[in-house]
Amino acid sequence: MVDNLVLLLEDDQLKVNQQLDEKNKILLRNMNYTIQLNLKSSNLESLILYKILLKRIFNNLNCSYSNFNLPTTKRRITLNKSPHVYKKAREQFEIFTFRSVFLFDTSLTNIPLKYILLNKPKTISFKLKKRK
């Protein structure tokens, strides 16, 4: 009788341990996620140089990443040359915005954010998004 109780208790303990292991596996799976880094700049040269730096950083950290460029946006600004209302005397200016996206996989223990912020040019703005 006592042996049967001990066996039942051991079986229950094994089931509880298996459930805990499954929960831990789910938690570990949820710790791995993808980070999307959106870069935006009006200066193409600084964007290209910063992309080269990021590629080197990701390669040194052995992070898997992908990089692709988004379409360039063009914004036109029209100003009157004279302070008086004379529609024929106008000047137009264009502002180009170049964008690029990096996607890299990481876990909570290996976040290279401090390396991303290292030596960031002032002409580049970025946004970070966490994706599953």
Side-chain angles (χ1 to χ4, degrees):
M1 184 81 170
V2 174
D3 289 336
N4 289 340
L5 276 174
V6 169
L7 286 175
L8 285 175
L9 285 175
E10 287 177 358
D11 286 342
D12 288 341
Q13 185 64 34
L14 280 173
K15 288 179 184 176
V16 168
N17 285 341
Q18 287 175 352
Q19 288 176 349
L20 284 175
D21 286 343
E22 288 175 14
K23 287 182 182 178
N24 285 338
K25 286 178 185 177
I26 291 171
L27 282 175
L28 285 174
R29 215 176 303 133
N30 288 339
M31 286 172 55
N32 291 330
Y33 50 88
T34 302
I35 292 182
Q36 179 178 345
L37 176 65
N38 296 330
L39 301 173
K40 184 167 79 168
S41 177
S42 59
N43 188 353
L44 181 61
E45 290 83 15
S46 65
L47 182 65
I48 291 172
L49 288 173
Y50 192 60
K51 281 172 44 178
I52 291 170
L53 175 72
L54 286 178
K55 287 178 185 178
R56 285 185 184 168
I57 289 172
F58 291 142
N59 287 335
N60 287 341
L61 293 174
N62 294 328
C63 289
S64 62
Y65 70 93
S66 63
N67 174 29
F68 53 91
N69 295 324
L70 295 176
T72 302
T73 57
K74 185 188 330 183
R75 203 171 101 208
R76 284 195 181 143
I77 299 172
T78 304
L79 299 174
N80 287 335
K81 281 185 178 180
S82 68
H84 305 292
V85 182
Y86 187 60
K87 288 276 192 176
K88 291 183 180 178
R90 293 189 201 180
E91 249 187 286
Q92 285 190 338
F93 301 98
E94 289 182 341
I95 298 174
F96 291 95
T97 304
F98 305 98
R99 296 181 298 162
S100 182
V101 174
F102 276 90
L103 295 172
F104 59 96
D105 298 325
T106 185
S107 65
L108 287 178
T109 59
N110 184 22
I111 298 179
L113 294 180
K114 63 182 176 182
Y115 299 109
I116 292 172
L117 295 173
L118 186 68
N119 296 327
K120 183 187 82 67
K122 291 183 180 179
T123 59
I124 293 178
S125 64
F126 69 91
K127 290 182 184 176
L128 285 171
K129 289 183 186 177
K130 183 171 112 174
R131 297 173 48 186
K132 287 199 174 194

